Each structure stands twice: as structure tokens, then as C-alpha cells.
Amino acid sequence: MAPAAMTFASSLSDAQPVSYWLDDPAKPGALPALTGDERCDLLVVGGGYSGLWTALLAKERDPARDVVLIEGREVGWAASGRNGGFCAASLTHGFGNGLARWPGELAKLEELGDRNLDAIEAAVARYGFDCDFERTGEIDVATEPYQLEELHQMFEEATGLGFTGLEFLDQDALRAEVNSPTFLGGLWDRRGVAMLHPAKLAWGLKQACMDLGVRVYENTRGLDLTASGAGMSVRTPYGRVFAHRVALGTNVFPSLVKRLRPYTVPVYDYALMTEPLSAEQLGAIGWKRRQGLGDSANQFHYFRITADHRILWGGYDAIYPYGGKVSAEMDHRPETYLKLAEHFFRCFPQLEGLRFSHAWGGAIDTCSRFSAFFGTAHGGKVAYAAGFTGLGVGATRFGGDVMLDLLSGERTERTELEMVRSKPLPFPPEPVAWAGIGLTKWALARADANGGRRNVWLRTLDRLGLGFDS
């Protein structure tokens, strides 16, 4: 191993192979599994953000509604406890993706996204969630000249359409906010993103649900879904739940509605967390306003500073397992950790000698349009939301509202959206999916290395509205 690589490797020598967020003494103990049969008005399957928000919103809409939530492991153990803690208003995976796919309703989607983030902030205050919520915004960072041009063009398009809250930062202005020699400029969305502790948000939602009367069962996997009289039945390892209506918040895990499975694939994403920075180290990078940051490459990094002055550094590698199987073996990837460490010190050379305390990975559910899709099954008795593609910290609450609207049969401003009424294209079966995703990843890396120039393959995908992202 070369000396530089040895230096990067040594920064990882004490890193614990567990999510920093879940490695917390505040983590609540597991609730008992369901044994025997349960009956309820609404069954929510999945104890991540999607299921938790759905259950909470269901009780807020109708406190008398009898709600049960089942979770296959423990609440928040999967993506909800392993993400970067970026809670975005965007429902469309960013302004550019929304403009390309739903230009006619983008203004409404942006408005609904802003309202959704406002509602999350209000819920944090109302229920007293101790989750380090800070509405600091996010800066999209350019590290190559072509990225700076693209960000400026996006700024001009957004402001030309009447969107506010964006600020274009030149190199000096950006480095005054966060100091890296790699930064050429950026686009700061001042209000559209909040930073938070993702696991504590999940745990707070769990407690709020229980306080409102939701019966939560952990270590209770939903095994199959069948019609039962006027309602539905979900079989679990030790019992069954009979419900009038069912909301599926299983996301990356195989849907109990089997026809939905080709619409999502798992993508493994990885992150590092540093030890706490000293006052001198903090002074060397600035970052006093604690914004979230993400670079603008196709293979991008996301990074933020925590309440206890650590830096989370994640992204870049998006790993698709052949066959789309979710496996614990994929949760750790030392070669990716080493790559991330090298990229970190390239971005912040002034932090040489800093060490990483945690290194982890986990699966994200992605779909071919990069943003959630919705629908019903079994004659409207089952609703689902999936495909959030990394933006589930915020958009799952909106998805919960959509599922409840659909289950009630209501026509709302949400259910009338083309985004809600349409579906992405499904991924092809293997080995075509593996080959296509591999070719796309190669082409994206080539574009990053060639001034953003997209080859014939990527331009064809763009025309078809297809893609692969984390």
C-alpha cells in the first residue's frame, strides 16, 4: 500500500462498524413481538419514517382510529437510522429532476414540499422530539467549472420561474461559509433543508405514536398479505393482523404487493463519521452556519456537521447487488470506506490527522424517476409509497398523507397530482438490470471525468426519463 493510502487507512483504524446515529445510549429498547391475532382499523407495515409518519398522521386525523404498526426488526434500524440527516423540502429529488418530469405542476410540488417541511418542523416542536433539528439549508457545491455553470443556470431558471430562497455563492462567498480548496462556488437553498439526528427522529415518532394510542410491535415481520372478508389480513411469524385498511411503508424491502417489486432496486450507500473536531480544527473550516453540503458530480458526496462537532461524509459509491437482494453482508464495504477517507482529506486537507469514529452502510430504495411513487391495491384497501431515493427523511411524511388520502378515497390536492397518479418505468429482470445499471454507473463516472459531457447511453436514458441514483 502506498504511503498516502496508508495514511487514509490509519484514519479508519478505530472506526466502529455501526451507524453513529444508532450507537447512542438514548436508543430505546425493543418492544415485544406480536403473538396471536390483532384486529384494527388501519395496519401500518414498516417502522421506518414512512410507516411512523403514516401512523402518526392517521391518529392526528382521527384520534378514534384504531392503528397497529408492525416492524420486522426495531423501529429506525434500517435507512431511517443510517442516513445523513438531511431533511429536504423537495418531493422531486431536487428542482432539476422536478422541472424535467413535471414542469406543469412543479410550482405546486414545491409549495407542497415547503408545507411538508414546515409541518415536520412544527411536529418536532409540538411533540418535543429531541433530534437536533436545525433549519440551516443546504449548499450544492461546484468542484469543477462545468458544475459551476450548471448551478448558475439552475439558479437563473429557478429565479426566472419565481422561486425564492436561493442564493448563488461565488468562490469567495462559499469559502467564507465553509473553507475547502476544492470549492469553486455553490447554490444555497437557505430554507429548503433541515439538519437533524435521524435515529432520534425515528425514536421520537415511535414514542409519539404510542402516546396517541398506536399499538407498535417490533421484531414482527409481515410475511404475506391476503384479502379477508371486507378487509385484509397480514400474517406474521407468530400471529396475524386483520385490518380494514393497510398502508405499506416497507420501501427497500420486498413489497407485500408482489407486482410492485420491479419498480424499485436497492442501492447501498456508505458514510463515515469523524471524531469531534477541536476548536482549532473548527476554526480552520468555518462552517459556523452548519448548512448541509453536497457536491454536484454524478457520483456525489454529501456532508454535514453534527451537534457535537463531528463531520459526516457519505455518498459517492452507489452499489447495486446482483438480483436486488438486500443483505447484511452489504452493510460494510472497506474499499468504499478507504475511498471516502481519501476524498474527505482531499476536500479538507487542513484536517489531516483527524480520525473516523464510525463507518457504516445501508440500502436505499431507488426507482427509475428518482422520487417516490404511490398507489393502491386490493380494490383500494391497501396503499403504498416507495422509491424515495435518498430523500425519505422529509418526503415520507408527504407519502404518509398520500397513502391516507388514497385509503379514504378522498380527492385531494395531493391525489390529483400527476406525480401521484403516474408510475415510473420498472427495472428489467436480471441479468439486464445488472448490466444496465453497471453501464450507467460507468457512463456517469466518465461524465464526471470529462467535464460533465454525457455519452450516447446517458443521453438516451435522459430522453426516456430513466436513471439510476442514490
Side-chain angles (χ1 to χ4, degrees):
M1 186 179 289
M6 283 291 291
T7 300
F8 302 137
S10 67
S11 70
L12 294 161
S13 62
D14 296 324
Q16 298 299 305
V18 64
S19 166
Y20 165 78
W21 311 115
L22 295 173
D23 186 21
D24 192 306
K27 181 177 181 291
L31 296 170
L34 172 68
T35 56
D37 292 348
E38 265 280 21
R39 298 181 183 276
C40 60
D41 297 324
L42 173 67
L43 170 64
V44 179
V45 182
Y49 297 139
S50 186
L52 291 164
W53 278 118
T54 303
L56 185 67
L57 291 167
K59 292 297 284 186
E60 288 182 343
R61 290 186 181 198
D62 180 3
R65 184 180 301 178
D66 188 21
V67 180
V68 168
L69 182 148
I70 61 172
E71 160 56 38
R73 295 269 301 264
E74 293 182 41
V75 161
W77 77 276
S80 298
R82 306 187 193 202
N83 62 81
F86 288 62
C87 186
S90 178
L91 305 175
T92 61
H93 211 271
F95 177 85
N97 192 51
L99 184 62
R101 297 182 187 280
W102 302 288
E105 64 183 28
L106 183 58
K108 173 56 69 174
L109 287 167
E110 292 287 302
E111 177 198 344
L112 289 169
D114 289 342
R115 282 160 47 188
N116 184 64
L117 183 55
D118 289 343
I120 292 172
E121 184 172 18
V124 168
R126 184 166 65 255
Y127 292 107
F129 297 157
D130 180 20
C131 63
D132 303 332
F133 188 97
E134 298 177 281
R135 198 153 174 178
T136 56
E138 180 180 5
I139 304 175
D140 290 331
V141 173
T143 58
E144 297 287 346
Y146 79 89
Q147 296 171 10
L148 192 63
E149 294 174 10
E150 290 176 351
L151 288 177
H152 193 268
Q153 181 181 351
M154 185 181 299
F155 174 70
E156 294 291 335
E157 287 180 339
T159 54
L161 290 171
F163 295 104
T164 60
L166 299 177
E167 181 178 349
F168 188 80
L169 305 175
D170 63 18
Q171 185 176 67
D172 290 342
L174 176 54
R175 291 188 184 181
E177 293 294 331
V178 186
N179 184 22
S180 167
T182 67
F183 292 174
L184 303 180
L187 186 58
W188 183 4
D189 181 352
R190 284 182 165 270
R191 290 279 299 165
V193 182
M195 297 291 105
L196 52 75
H197 187 304
K200 287 184 177 179
L201 174 62
W203 300 335
L205 285 166
K206 171 184 171 180
Q207 186 60 54
C209 286
M210 292 191 297
D211 289 345
L212 292 180
V214 177
R215 300 193 298 287
V216 178
Y217 296 97
E218 295 181 297
N219 294 306
T220 301
R221 183 182 169 200
L223 300 175
D224 59 49
L225 173 71
T226 57
S228 177
M232 302 298 300
S233 171
V234 171
R235 183 170 60 89
T236 70
Y238 306 126
R240 293 171 300 175
V241 184
F242 297 94
H244 296 300
R245 297 290 183 267
V246 177
L248 299 178
T250 49
N251 295 296
V252 78
F253 298 99
S255 177
L256 293 179
V257 178
K258 293 181 180 179
R259 63 179 167 82
L260 298 178
R261 294 180 183 181
Y263 286 92
T264 61
V265 295
V267 179
Y268 277 83
D269 182 51
Y270 300 91
L272 305 177
M273 184 71 84
T274 72
E275 63 190 354
L277 275 65
S278 67
E280 182 180 359
Q281 289 167 327
L282 286 168
I285 60 171
W287 217 341
K288 293 180 180 178
R289 290 197 260 198
R290 306 174 58 81
Q291 308 96 327
L293 278 81
D295 64 50
S296 302
N298 292 301
Q299 292 183 287
F300 63 93
H301 306 88
Y302 55 87
F303 39 117
R304 49 81 57 96
I305 196 162
T306 67
D308 58 349
H309 309 305
R310 301 168 185 263
I311 296 175
L312 178 142
W313 179 266
Y316 192 78
D317 272 348
I319 305 301
Y320 169 70
Y322 184 85
K325 185 178 180 181
V326 179
S327 168
E329 295 177 4
M330 294 290 297
D331 284 350
H332 298 288
R333 199 166 189 265
E335 59 266 45
T336 294
Y337 299 151
L338 190 60
K339 192 181 299 180
L340 286 173
E342 177 185 352
H343 295 173
F344 176 87
F345 289 110
R346 187 185 304 159
C347 181
F348 295 119
Q350 65 269 50
L351 297 181
E352 181 181 356
L354 191 67
R355 300 174 72 83
F356 296 100
S357 62
H358 296 77
W360 72 93
I364 295 167
D365 64 323
T366 191
C367 69
S368 61
R369 73 183 192 187
F370 308 150
S371 53
F373 62 93
F374 316 88
T376 61
H378 292 276
K381 292 181 286 189
V382 177
Y384 56 83
F388 289 95
T389 315
L391 287 193
V393 181
T396 46
R397 184 191 176 280
F398 174 81
D401 263 330
V402 171
M403 285 195 282
L404 293 172
D405 289 350
L406 293 172
L407 289 174
S408 70
E410 294 179 62
R411 291 182 61 180
T412 69
E413 60 182 343
R414 290 178 288 264
T415 62
E416 293 298 295
L417 291 167
E418 181 188 349
M419 179 191 182
V420 171
R421 293 184 287 107
S422 63
K423 295 280 192 300
L425 289 174
F427 290 93
E430 299 293 13
V432 179
W434 171 263
I437 289 171
L439 177 58
T440 303
K441 288 178 61 181
W442 173 83
L444 290 170
R446 291 271 297 178
D448 284 339
N450 288 284
R453 290 185 291 275
R454 298 172 78 81
N455 64 14
V456 174
W457 175 254
L458 292 179
R459 293 198 301 272
T460 300
L461 294 180
D462 291 341
R463 286 194 297 270
L464 295 173
L466 297 171
F468 174 77
D469 201 3
S470 67

